[in-house]
Amino acid sequence: MMQLEHFTLADIAEASFLSLLTWGDEMEISNSKLQAFIYEAMVRYYFRSSKLSFKITENGKMQGFLLASAMDDAIMHVSWFRKGLKDFTQAEQDVAKGYIEYLHYNGKKVREYAKASDVLLCLFLSRKSGVGGQLLHNAELAAQKNGAVQVHLWADATCDYAYYLKRGYAQNTCFLNNVLPKLGEQQTWIYSKKLAL
């Protein structure tokens, strides 16, 4: 049976593993420890609010999650990230820092379209049909309850970016992100949706 719950700190390990399974082949990284670190860093970078973030489980296993945040929610991963970097060579550290900079750059572009009261949909993963729609719907409802009039997100070519158009999102812009050479130039879209009053 599917169960919708708020995402918490205790969910980071499982969400990181699912992220690695989903996007782990984006970059050729031979060090599996570095690869796991990067995807945990991504989840930690985006997890800023339990109130706005959700997961769906089935028989105790996570089938998807959506991490969302208010515009002023603080980034909490910094000390964890700095401490973890010490386990890697300088070249590996540069790759990990570059990946976070890639995420940060896209986030800055999204914020150009957002107002202070809006909500950002930050990281979205679904491994089973129907899970994504349920997560998105609940995140939008939570955003409304939080006082948001609009939600915003970015998606690059590694995502099913057309999915958002089917869900009532409008495309604001499209740009190329080449911040992380190891990842390669990524076509990236920014979408927004006005929430029903």
Side-chain angles (χ1 to χ4, degrees):
M1 182 174 171
M2 296 281 198
Q3 189 168 351
L4 176 77
E5 301 171 76
H6 284 281
F7 191 99
T8 70
L9 282 169
D11 298 314
I12 287 177
E14 189 173 5
S16 301
F17 178 70
L18 293 179
S19 298
L20 177 61
L21 288 179
T22 303
W23 297 297
D25 60 354
E26 286 180 334
M27 296 184 289
E28 288 184 26
I29 298 176
S30 57
N31 182 338
S32 59
K33 185 177 177 184
L34 174 64
Q35 196 178 39
F37 175 77
I38 286 172
Y39 286 95
E40 183 170 349
M42 177 178 67
V43 172
R44 287 179 178 275
Y45 176 82
Y46 281 130
F47 179 54
R48 303 171 191 180
S49 169
S50 282
K51 176 172 62 172
L52 296 169
S53 299
F54 297 90
K55 67 176 179 178
I56 289 181
T57 59
E58 184 178 38
N59 300 322
K61 292 189 177 181
M62 193 180 295
Q63 299 300 318
F65 63 90
L66 195 159
L67 306 182
S69 70
M71 292 288 286
D72 60 354
D73 284 334
I75 296 172
M76 299 183 286
H77 85 294
V78 177
S79 61
W80 175 91
F81 186 72
R82 285 185 183 145
K83 183 178 176 186
L85 278 179
K86 296 174 184 173
D87 294 337
F88 301 103
T89 67
Q90 186 59 54
E92 290 169 336
Q93 289 181 30
D94 291 343
V95 171
K97 288 176 186 175
Y99 195 82
I100 295 299
E101 181 55 35
Y102 174 83
L103 303 178
H104 190 66
Y105 178 83
N106 287 341
K108 284 193 294 186
K109 299 287 270 184
V110 173
R111 286 172 179 271
E112 292 173 11
Y113 294 89
K115 295 187 173 88
S117 62
D118 291 344
V119 164
L120 306 175
L121 304 182
C122 302
L123 186 59
F124 185 23
L125 185 152
S126 170
R127 295 184 58 80
K128 190 168 184 175
S129 179
V131 167
Q134 192 176 349
L135 286 166
L136 198 56
H137 176 71
N138 278 279
E140 290 168 2
L141 288 176
Q144 279 183 293
K145 288 178 185 173
N146 201 58
V149 175
Q150 287 193 96
V151 292
H152 309 273
L153 61 92
W154 66 266
D156 63 23
T158 67
C159 307
D160 180 9
Y161 49 88
Y163 175 84
Y164 300 105
L165 295 174
K166 299 172 197 169
R167 295 280 174 174
Y169 285 73
Q171 180 182 316
N172 294 315
T173 191
C174 180
F175 62 94
L176 292 175
N177 183 335
N178 57 6
V179 168
L180 182 56
K182 194 163 184 63
L183 185 60
E185 192 172 67
Q186 292 290 320
Q187 191 164 7
T188 307
W189 294 263
I190 294 175
Y191 296 101
S192 297
K193 182 178 181 178
K194 288 187 178 176
L195 301 171
L197 298 175

